[in-house]
Amino acid sequence: MKNEEKQKILEMFFIKRKKQIDIAKALNISKYKVSRIVTKDIRYQEEKEIRKKLSQQRHLENTINYINSERKVKRMKNNTDELILKNMHEQASKELSKGKRMTNIAYRNWNKSAYLYNRDKKRLEFRKELGRSYDVPKFIKLNV
């Protein structure tokens, strides 16, 4: 191997801080030749330690960024959920605080699990096993 090609490899590795595989591709030689030349240089061990520390630092930064982004997404989701619940609560308060009688549909919306849809009669029917007081609608006709 020519001395100037060797110098080029060493310059790309130690000065330009290129990876061995990138040097091999750029000079169209095998990565093993690049590795042999670089590892025989006296600066190699020191450079290896520097690159190792940089890699650990980048990994730590990427981990911190990932954790922060996940926390941000979780906070946004929690804030959205809280906002939805707050709006639902406000809506419920408005509906329940009215002095008028609650409509059957409004009552059904508050007690969805208490009604089952009867396809034949096209209406919602109160589930008998729940036990119904006199002011709870037995069925609710739907205008479909």
Side-chain angles (χ1 to χ4, degrees), residues 2-14:
K2 297 178 187 173
N3 194 28
E4 64 183 59
E5 191 173 39
K6 182 178 175 182
Q7 290 304 318
K8 181 85 171 158
I9 292 170
L10 295 174
E11 177 190 339
M12 290 175 81
F13 186 79
F14 291 109

Side-chain angles (χ1 to χ4, degrees), residues 60-73:
L60 181 63
E61 288 170 3
N62 289 341
T63 302
I64 290 169
N65 289 338
Y66 175 78
I67 290 170
N68 287 339
S69 67
E70 287 296 311
R71 285 179 180 165
K72 186 176 180 181
V73 167

Side-chain angles (χ1 to χ4, degrees), residues 7 10-11 14-15 38 41-48:
Q7 290 304 318
L10 295 174
E11 177 190 339
F14 291 109
I15 297 170
V38 169
D41 195 281
I42 57 172
R43 302 172 283 180
Y44 177 70
Q45 285 302 322
E46 185 180 333
E47 182 68 22
K48 185 177 176 182

Side-chain angles (χ1 to χ4, degrees), residues 71-90:
R71 285 179 180 165
K72 186 176 180 181
V73 167
K74 194 173 182 179
R75 271 195 309 271
M76 287 175 61
K77 185 183 180 312
N78 287 343
N79 289 344
T80 304
D81 290 347
E82 287 175 16
L83 186 61
I84 290 170
L85 285 173
K86 183 179 177 184
N87 287 340
M88 288 172 63
H89 178 72
E90 287 174 2

Side-chain angles (χ1 to χ4, degrees), residues 49-60:
E49 287 301 315
I50 291 170
R51 290 184 184 211
K52 186 177 176 182
K53 286 178 184 175
L54 287 173
S55 178
Q56 288 173 341
Q57 186 178 356
R58 273 194 311 272
H59 176 71
L60 181 63

